[in-house]
Amino acid sequence: MPKHKLRIIPLGGLGEIGKNMMALEYGNDIVVIDAGLMFPGEELPGVDLLIPDISYLVERQKSLRGIVITHGHEDHIGALPYVLSRLSTPVYATKFTRELIRVELKQRGVKTDAKLNLVSPGSKITLGNFAIEFFSVCHSIPDCVGLIIHTPLGIVVHSGDFKIDYTPTICEATNFNQLASLGAKGVLLLLSDSTYAELPGYTPSERVVIETLDRIVSGAKGRVIVTTFASLISRVQQVFDVAVKYGRRVFIIGRSMREIVSMALKTGYLTAPPGITCRLDELKTLPHNRVMVLSTGSQGEPTSALVRMANRDPSSRIQIVPGDTVVISATPIPGNEMVVSKTTDSLFRQGANVIYDKLAQVHVHGHGSQEELKLLLSLVRPKFFVPIHGEYRHLSLHASLAQSMSIPKDNTFVLENGDVLELGRDSGEVVDRTHVGVIYVSGLVTGELDGAVLRDRKLLSRDGVVVVTIAIDSEGGKLAERPRIITRGIVDAGEGQKLIEKGRDVVLAALNHDKRRLVEPSFVDAKVKDSLSKFFYERIHRRPIIIPVVVEVGKTHKKPTS
Amino acid sequence: MPKHKLRIIPLGGLGEIGKNMMALEYGNDIVVIDAGLMFPGEELPGVDLLIPDISYLVERQKSLRGIVITHGHEDHIGALPYVLSRLSTPVYATKFTRELIRVELKQRGVKTDAKLNLVSPGSKITLGNFAIEFFSVCHSIPDCVGLIIHTPLGIVVHSGDFKIDYTPTICEATNFNQLASLGAKGVLLLLSDSTYAELPGYTPSERVVIETLDRIVSGAKGRVIVTTFASLISRVQQVFDVAVKYGRRVFIIGRSMREIVSMALKTGYLTAPPGITCRLDELKTLPHNRVMVLSTGSQGEPTSALVRMANRDPSSRIQIVPGDTVVISATPIPGNEMVVSKTTDSLFRQGANVIYDKLAQVHVHGHGSQEELKLLLSLVRPKFFVPIHGEYRHLSLHASLAQSMSIPKDNTFVLENGDVLELGRDSGEVVDRTHVGVIYVSGLVTGELDGAVLRDRKLLSRDGVVVVTIAIDSEGGKLAERPRIITRGIVDAGEGQKLIEKGRDVVLAALNHDKRRLVEPSFVDAKVKDSLSKFFYERIHRRPIIIPVVVEVGKTHKKPTS
């Protein structure tokens, strides 16, 4: 009989897309799966990225046995630089994933003594009470794995991010036999990717994209510029293949694309005949119908190669000309829709023929749709089920799918970050909710998402700021001059001047109302804030942040500073 | 031979979705079509709405003959309160549209002496050299019209917003005979809706929604809560119809839904048996399987009825309970995707079964897809073609469609706001680009979108603000005290304090470097800004707005204020 219960604690990625991180705990052993980041949208200006709050792990550092990574996407590895600078623990990852982790650590300038251990599909590691086997799954980056975790209570299967692709172009197809034999033996818990639990049917194979690409390139009279995710090596492979077929050479533009393609060629994840890529000077001499370009920028990132082309940035090494075909071989990640649309518009404006997801099947995504999720459920046949990776609606719909396949409702747990699920052999229960805040990174500042800093930024962005200077004659206890007002982000200079003059009158009147109390700074502060808040709301329906600066003048004669 | 050329000047809605407005000019006659607004996304915090810049019209007020409105959506009528408070000109609209314009004017508190004239499909008005006939088109609001504009140069057809629905539930089907006979006679110019020019095939009929709704309601054991656009009366009609069929009563929640439904019932646009709606006290006594709720909030508007239900707002008159079915009978308008997703997530969290566009066909949109656009082109057979209403890519794709139907490329004009297209009988040319800025409305403030106010707000939202107070002893020409620093939106209080102390040292050092110049305010100002900008960038990779406040102390003794 096992001594402890098994605890599952999501620290990120449940009830949201991104920053995936989960702790599995048995007795004094904690294993962490993934450590990702997420990029916020325009609702968090100035915030570069969000990472999980790991205080739960920091407090239990002694029990931490290691971090196991399922694949190399930012939403699974991007928090490692921050995590490893606070926690020293071994990391386990496949080869391609480990390369990306190294890049990530280097880019953030993190030096760590944490060991980056290599694992591969079929290999097995033991971390305390957990014995973990890896099995390959297909997704949109090479070397993805799912996990078979042997615990004293039974087997836990973690799907990683996955789709089922019977004809993958790069990754190994899922090992159904292994999963089916586990299912026959009995699996305690399945943790399965819910990202596309909304979509009925099957996700198409990566292979369908090649047909579209082939058709586009065979008909194109000019250059064909393809943008996709740099790590989507199977897509990059297809671009190389179609280039070879039609006698085009490939120019690669954008730092991350150059880096990852070069790494993938070196490590054998990508195969291409020698001389297929070309340099900038060669590009300039090639006829346009002998050129393909592979570019970053599929998400409309402001400084990416594609966006610079779209905006006719003079520093761009490629300028769009009529006759160019641009293929956006990606879909916008939620939150990026507007910037991707703007980029598409700008490319059309330059005269390009732009082909994107709405017009042709130039992209397939990397997550399983409902029938694939059901297939995994029916292979693994778990006793308990926890949908992972997704917004709440995805988790909820995935749970319904599982219930439709006879997993009892009581054995299905829709968790959110911080929930502590405790499983025995026969029953499970959410026993606690630990506080997991969200940590933002803004430049070199990190902080809690719900702190004052971001709240203030939000207010500033909506309503602007007013600085009011009150000079008080410390001897006379009266105003030494008319209050001064500086505003930013409120009204244009012209009309603003009148408003500001009125505002000065309002402050003056408010302070003069009770002159004896001018010596009390808190009185002055409150009066200024109250009177101006009211004034601005009445006049322009805005509530700017008001910062009173109270200075005593005449002071130097009593307290010289030098 | 006509004396003048025909000028077409888009003032809004071309190269963007929303705030549609276009001027047609012949000699001394200007006719304006539509006057809409648009709602900005999170990239413009604090901005309530955007409207077209009408300075072109204000400068030519004497020539302005009237504003013709195609239908009552905000993106076609929403700027009228602002336009009519600057320009007095008659407005022409159909009955339902006119009702909505009246509501709009009342809500914004605009009093105008502009006459709101009633027109109807088949009626004809003369505005200077323009004779305008109206024909009904089908869209997602009652009483939509397209325009047949007789000009001295020939006939201009304006599609309005349209789809082709052979089995509409409310609007009249498009009058093909009239358009076809025009096409046979010869049409100079077609201006046609491009919003869905990306989509191949046909837009489904409004009627397909009833099948989905019927299936949902017949299977629902609890309440069915449907949210949609208040003005989508055909959808509201379907909700009433299905409620009648299954013996449910309808509770209407949300101000705009109550107002528009009540208006539509009164004016006969909506028909329902008496007693079908119910009051709150009745709602409370009805069994849940006898209730339908019709709610605002389909776009995730923060104060809408649906969002308040989703967030368990205690002031909400309806609280979600498990067993409730929520039907989101709408798709998110671009930019609203995230808030709609969050609302959906929250409804799932409350235990509702939420059905939305990805899961079932609970919505069809109101714009024609490619085959419908081609049908209109082939009926009207225009000499010149200008795609209207859409982002640049939609216009561009619509132009390609027209060219694929043998309209010469030289006769197809992809315009953007401000372009001045001049048409003769045989050729056309963009002769000018007038400056049309975008005007934002933020509370009671309006201004140019590219002005300093919004730029400052953007900076404030990303990097925060620093107020630095420098007290200078005017007699000694030295600092009277250590510089003071107040920050907002930069760092949390704890860590921030150290940073601020350092910053004070930095300012002190910078100013002490050249003490003699402390009497020059511009010197102090520049030194403070430079030294702190550099400091904050180095320390935290942020560039806050820095506001120096320089106060001379010791002054009162020379210049008493009282």
Side-chain angles (χ1 to χ4, degrees), chain A residues 121-141:
Chain A
S123 74
K124 195 164 177 174
I125 57 172
T126 302
L127 300 174
N129 267 296
F130 297 103
I132 304 179
E133 283 181 90
F134 300 85
F135 63 99
S136 64
V137 293
C138 206
H139 181 47
S140 47
I141 187 170

Side-chain angles (χ1 to χ4, degrees), chain A residues 296-348:
Chain A
T296 52
S298 69
Q299 294 303 309
E301 302 91 333
T303 58
S304 66
L306 187 74
V307 172
R308 285 160 65 198
M309 289 180 224
N311 295 342
R312 266 208 126 48
D313 187 326
S315 76
S316 172
R317 286 189 289 170
I318 293 182
Q319 301 291 339
I320 297 290
V321 294
D324 284 344
T325 301
V326 178
V327 180
I328 301 178
S329 185
T331 39
I333 293 171
N336 293 347
E337 293 89 352
M338 297 296 276
V339 283
V340 173
S341 290
K342 274 184 196 159
T343 305
T344 309
D345 285 333
S346 302
L347 289 165
F348 268 115

Side-chain angles (χ1 to χ4, degrees), chain A residues 37-59:
Chain A
L37 59 72
M38 75 197 260
F39 297 104
E42 307 229 39
E43 78 281 7
L44 289 178
V47 173
D48 306 322
L49 47 97
L50 302 174
I51 51 175
D53 176 355
I54 55 165
S55 33
Y56 186 88
L57 300 175
V58 172
E59 287 160 18

